[in-house]
Amino acid sequence: MSIHEVFMPALSSTMTEGKIVSWVKSPGDKVEKGETVVVVESDKADMDVETFYEGFLAHIIVEAGETAPVGSAIAFIAETEAEIEQAKSQANSGGAAATPTSSPEPVAATASVPTPALASQNGSNHKEGRLVASPRARKLAKELKVDLTTLQGSGPHGRIVAEDVEALSNKGKQPAPAPVAPAAPVPTSAPVAPPAPRTPAPAPVVAAVPGQTVPLTTFQNAVVRNMVATISVPVFRVGYTITTDGLDKLYKQIKSKGVTMTALLAKAVAVTLQKHPLLNASYSEQGIVYHSDINISVAVAMDDGGLITPVLQNADTVDIYSLSRTWKSLVERARTKQLQPQEYNSGTFTLSNLGMFGVDKFDAILPPGQGSILAIGASRPQVVATPDGLFGVRQQMQVNITSDHRIIYGAHAAAFLQDLAKLIETNPQSLTL
């Protein structure tokens, strides 16, 4: 039989179910091997899912907006048009709801191998002539009846984003402005993307309907699972006050070169972790896992109520300018849910910074699979006693580390914070080397 089930793929190690964002193909449409057929929302991102089979999308089991467990059938692909009706009959008879077919073919037809499928999302590895557009842009184009082939994308690598579709739609009153559309967005305007082309702002909608119970988003459910998983971990917290005058001065000097404070803090933490590998380690049933790389996760709040932690990989060895560029790209793609799994699940140590909200200090919850997380408060002017016995004003911030007490003890965390403060206070210039 040449009818194949398409299964809900596992797009991350924590994903237990996925939500269908949109079907790129409709029932009866011809599909080519390696072509995107559906966009799936995992617990962290929207991802294009490709098929390994050539044929016809015979029947959709899980419609757009619905969820399904990982490994369950979401559609049928028939290799010939004559088999489309047979596939529909199989679906209607409940065949898809049963255990997967005993033959190995349906497994290969899941199109769920994330590495090759995801590589095309940012346009870096897309096939020649293939249209690269965000899931939100595809959905919006379908709703507004906009031909994506007439657009030139303003996203990374020319990716078409929702703003491009909206811009063309707004000009739709003029019959044939298609040639004008490419000139509207500036192709290199990726940094402008964070205003969230893919965020329909569900959070304000919730606030506008008092008394209504609104289901959690996939992102929020992922956060719930992770937070519940940390309850069983015995943790302790250690606070420290760090003077930031030198760091603030350095930041003002190199800010114009694209350096961000987030990158500076991540770099400082990563360099300090070189001396304290235990703080970069994690617990396992077999013992302490000492990670070979220092990958700094940084918590970022999503506009739709979720939370994601893009990862600055090898932050201790990457120069501050490259690190800052990487961070801007990560945030931009996090906002549009385009991160690859390794870009949000490979962290070995986490930073959570609420200083921009004026928060003095706070406790952060330890992420699963890590040994420590550092909470950073705002840097404020404080009256302090100087070494010469006088009073002076210094910029100071409060940091608070939460650590897994199964492998890390108070003295370990205190020594790490002491060295971090020493680096930031006496030798911040070394972060640019």
Side-chain angles (χ1 to χ4, degrees):
M1 183 179 69
S2 50
I3 296 175
H4 310 287
E5 290 177 322
V6 178
F7 299 115
M8 175 63 73
L11 301 174
S12 74
S13 59
T14 60
M15 179 175 167
T16 57
E17 65 177 19
K19 180 180 180 181
I20 304 297
V21 177
S22 62
W23 284 94
V24 179
K25 294 290 185 176
S26 300
D29 286 354
K30 185 79 168 63
V31 295
E32 303 291 340
K33 182 178 179 180
E35 186 176 17
T36 297
V37 293
V38 63
V39 179
V40 173
E41 181 186 73
S42 71
D43 51 5
K44 297 293 183 183
D46 287 354
M47 301 181 184
D48 295 349
V49 177
E50 302 172 357
T51 176
F52 292 152
Y53 287 98
E54 181 177 336
F56 297 86
L57 182 61
H59 181 72
I60 292 174
I61 302 170
V62 183
E63 297 290 346
E66 298 179 354
T67 60
V70 167
S72 63
I74 59 175
F76 280 108
I77 289 181
E79 290 188 3
T80 65
E81 281 189 278
E83 292 170 317
I84 292 179
E85 290 303 320
Q86 184 181 351
K88 291 180 180 179
S89 298
Q90 183 175 335
N92 293 333
S93 65
T99 55
T101 310
S102 58
S103 71
E105 287 187 338
V107 178
T110 60
S112 64
V113 179
T115 303
L118 302 182
S120 65
Q121 274 212 324
N122 298 322
S124 57
N125 293 325
H126 66 275
K127 299 175 184 177
E128 187 65 29
R130 178 181 174 182
L131 184 69
V132 183
S134 72
R136 174 62 177 164
R138 291 181 184 274
K139 183 178 180 181
L140 197 59
K142 191 173 183 180
E143 293 174 354
L144 300 177
K145 294 181 172 50
V146 170
D147 184 359
L148 289 175
T149 60
T150 65
L151 293 177
Q152 177 177 323
S154 62
H157 306 284
R159 182 182 177 91
I160 298 172
V161 295
E163 287 180 338
D164 302 328
V165 179
E166 291 171 346
L168 182 61
S169 177
N170 291 337
K171 294 181 180 181
K173 299 173 184 177
Q174 302 166 359
V180 182
V186 181
T188 58
S189 62
V192 183
R198 201 203 169 281
T199 48
V205 173
V206 174
V209 189
Q212 180 182 5
T213 299
V214 179
L216 296 176
T217 65
T218 307
F219 263 38
Q220 290 168 327
N221 275 317
V223 173
V224 169
R225 289 193 299 270
N226 286 339
M227 295 305 99
V228 171
T230 66
I231 294 177
S232 61
V233 178
V235 298
F236 69 96
R237 299 173 178 85
V238 178
Y240 210 95
T241 300
I242 300 178
T243 299
T244 63
D245 290 283
L247 185 67
D248 294 338
K249 181 179 179 181
L250 173 64
Y251 176 59
K252 290 178 181 178
Q253 293 172 348
I254 59 179
K255 180 181 179 181
S256 61
K257 298 180 181 179
V259 174
T260 66
M261 180 57 77
T262 295
L264 278 172
L265 291 170
K267 179 75 171 181
V269 167
V271 170
T272 307
L273 285 173
Q274 290 177 333
K275 300 179 181 178
H276 301 271
L278 183 60
L279 273 293
N280 192 54
S282 59
Y283 170 85
S284 75
E285 294 293 338
Q286 291 72 40
I288 302 174
V289 180
Y290 287 93
H291 301 289
S292 57
D293 298 325
I294 298 177
N295 299 334
I296 306 299
S297 303
V298 185
V300 174
M302 302 295 287
D303 293 332
D304 61 358
L307 180 71
I308 195 168
T309 52
V311 179
L312 289 167
Q313 298 181 359
N314 301 303
D316 57 323
T317 59
V318 177
D319 69 88
I320 191 63
Y321 303 102
S322 298
L323 205 63
S324 294
R325 289 193 295 270
T326 298
W327 176 243
K328 289 181 179 178
S329 173
L330 286 170
V331 171
E332 174 192 331
R333 288 183 289 116
R335 301 288 188 195
T336 54
K337 302 173 75 174
Q338 297 173 27
L339 291 180
Q340 307 293 313
Q342 70 273 16
E343 291 178 319
Y344 59 74
N345 64 13
S346 60
T348 58
F349 187 104
T350 297
L351 296 184
S352 182
N353 185 4
L354 293 180
M356 70 286 292
F357 295 104
V359 173
D360 292 317
K361 60 181 179 179
F362 66 102
D363 292 335
I365 298 177
L366 184 68
Q370 294 187 18
S372 296
I373 179 172
L374 187 67
I376 301 174
S379 179
R380 298 183 181 280
Q382 303 287 345
V383 177
V384 300
T386 61
D388 53 9
L390 301 176
F391 288 104
V393 177
R394 300 286 187 270
Q395 289 289 132
Q396 294 185 330
M397 69 178 181
Q398 303 286 328
V399 298
N400 200 13
I401 193 168
T402 301
S403 296
D404 186 341
H405 213 332
R406 294 173 296 184
I407 61 172
I408 301 169
Y409 305 142
H412 299 137
F416 165 78
L417 293 177
Q418 190 175 49
D419 284 344
L420 176 63
K422 183 178 179 181
L423 171 63
I424 291 176
E425 293 176 352
T426 65
N427 193 21
Q429 289 290 340
S430 66
L431 299 176
T432 63
L433 301 179

